[in-house]
Amino acid sequence: QAAAASAPGRQARGPPCPCLLALPAAELNELQQQVYITWAPTVDGAALPLHPLDALEKGQVHKGVPIVIGSALEDTTSTINERASEAQFTEYLKLMVPAGDVETAEHLYMDAGGSERTRAQGGDPFDGAKLGRSAEYWAARRLNSDRTMTCHARRTARKWKAVTGAPAYWYLWATADPKSEFPPSKKSLDATAGPDLVRGNCWPCPGAGHGADLPLVFDTGDVHVEDTTAELADTVRTFYKDFADVGDPNAWQGFRLSKGGRAAWEEGATRGGMQFEAGGTRFTPRLRGEQCDFWEARGLPGP
């Protein structure tokens, strides 16, 4: 049994073998400690009987505890062609949404001013080419991030407020880790240069991906930033310190952080969320609103 759990390659792809399914959770936890995976869950003798989202749905969570929850703008490792065309992006959409929703998805992820398509005013304010990659490449990254990360976080913030009565502060991190601002390699460009859609994965990933906030939140010392990015670091640390101190990111040394008569960071995710962005950090009404409404109406992927 231990060999089956700890030796990669012994089990063919597919459903887990019966020997693993029959093992008690406690024994699986013990076996997991023999596998060196740096990103694996920390096993400390405590086990969650339910997935956190299931526990929230059932109301089996601590009441009255405020939380901060969010994700990054391009928080996915799924990719398409580095310089994807309109046609390739449309082909990708046909794989991701029902045929009748392709045009709507095009509208939601490509800004009307930045695309050759002719359609109603609107779209995605983050649309655009950058770092040597096409606007369509980034649209695919944002789409998958929304459906698997961002919109789940928004839904959870709303649900947390409704179930526990406690504030839930929702955010979207929209600035890349400076180490992630790199162009595509020649090898990657050559591999995705043809007319066919090429789906793949990245790591490390360019842009505002998973963990892009960590060097600025924790001052890890391995990046140097200045000007607007340094101001972003100061801002997010202030909010997080306030939250850690008193459970409210707007409570700063006896003062209330506010803008336009409202809390600087409104809670509950009902009106919008905090957009952490170098040179543009602000509470944004309807942040990813159209996109998340679209995915929630069609059923977000499960936990």
Side-chain angles (χ1 to χ4, degrees):
Q1 292 174 329
S6 60
R10 298 281 183 90
Q11 167 74 16
R13 288 194 176 191
C17 65
C19 64
L20 289 178
L21 292 174
L23 283 178
E27 189 171 349
L28 282 173
N29 282 344
E30 182 179 348
L31 290 171
Q32 181 175 280
Q33 299 316 293
Q34 303 173 26
V35 183
Y36 182 71
I37 303 176
T38 57
W39 46 262
T42 298
V43 179
D44 53 9
L48 295 177
L50 295 171
H51 187 285
L53 288 178
D54 293 334
L56 182 58
E57 290 289 340
K58 296 175 182 295
Q60 297 180 20
V61 293
H62 290 290
K63 306 295 195 295
V65 179
I67 63 170
V68 169
I69 187 169
S71 62
L73 179 65
E74 293 133 4
D75 201 341
T76 179
T77 59
S78 297
T79 64
I80 62 172
N81 309 58
E82 302 274 17
R83 294 177 179 168
S85 65
E86 261 189 46
Q88 288 166 339
F89 181 62
T90 299
E91 185 178 348
Y92 173 73
L93 289 178
K94 291 177 181 178
L95 300 175
M96 301 301 291
V97 301
D101 289 334
V102 169
E103 185 175 352
T104 300
E106 287 177 341
H107 163 73
L108 291 175
Y109 286 95
M110 297 294 294
D111 177 67
S115 168
E116 295 176 7
R117 300 182 184 90
T118 302
R119 56 179 177 272
Q121 186 66 31
D124 194 331
F126 291 103
D127 174 56
K130 61 182 180 179
L131 299 178
R133 297 170 178 85
S134 68
E136 286 79 5
Y137 167 90
W138 294 108
R141 289 278 304 279
R142 290 192 307 275
L143 180 150
N144 206 47
S145 180
D146 282 345
R147 66 184 286 272
T148 61
M149 300 290 285
T150 299
C151 301
H152 280 284
R154 187 188 78 156
R155 183 181 66 176
T156 300
R158 291 178 169 181
K159 189 71 174 179
W160 187 267
K161 173 69 174 181
V163 170
T164 73
Y169 298 94
W170 175 56
Y171 72 88
L172 180 69
W173 187 270
T175 292
D177 172 350
K179 294 183 297 182
S180 297
E181 294 182 309
F182 54 83
S185 67
K186 182 179 185 302
K187 179 180 178 181
S188 181
L189 286 174
D190 290 345
T192 63
D196 296 333
L197 173 68
V198 178
R199 300 178 66 186
N201 292 283
C202 59
W203 192 261
C205 298
H210 196 73
D213 55 330
L214 298 183
L216 303 185
V217 172
F218 295 106
D219 191 12
T220 56
D222 55 353
V223 297
H224 172 72
V225 296
E226 53 189 32
D227 301 329
T228 57
T229 308
E231 292 171 0
L232 170 62
D234 290 340
T235 300
V236 68
R237 289 179 202 162
T238 297
F239 277 127
Y240 284 3
K241 180 181 181 299
D242 293 344
F243 180 82
D245 284 345
V246 296
D248 182 350
N250 303 292
W252 179 74
Q253 298 185 4
F255 295 91
R256 293 288 299 170
L257 301 179
S258 64
K259 185 173 183 179
R262 293 178 176 270
W265 188 346
E266 296 180 35
E267 52 96 359
T270 53
R271 207 176 73 87
M274 178 60 72
Q275 179 175 320
F276 285 114
E277 183 176 14
T281 295
R282 60 194 181 277
F283 181 86
T284 302
R286 293 285 296 159
L287 178 63
R288 305 309 285 165
E290 287 185 286
Q291 290 80 9
C292 288
D293 289 349
F294 172 85
W295 291 113
E296 288 195 6
R298 287 152 183 81
L300 287 170

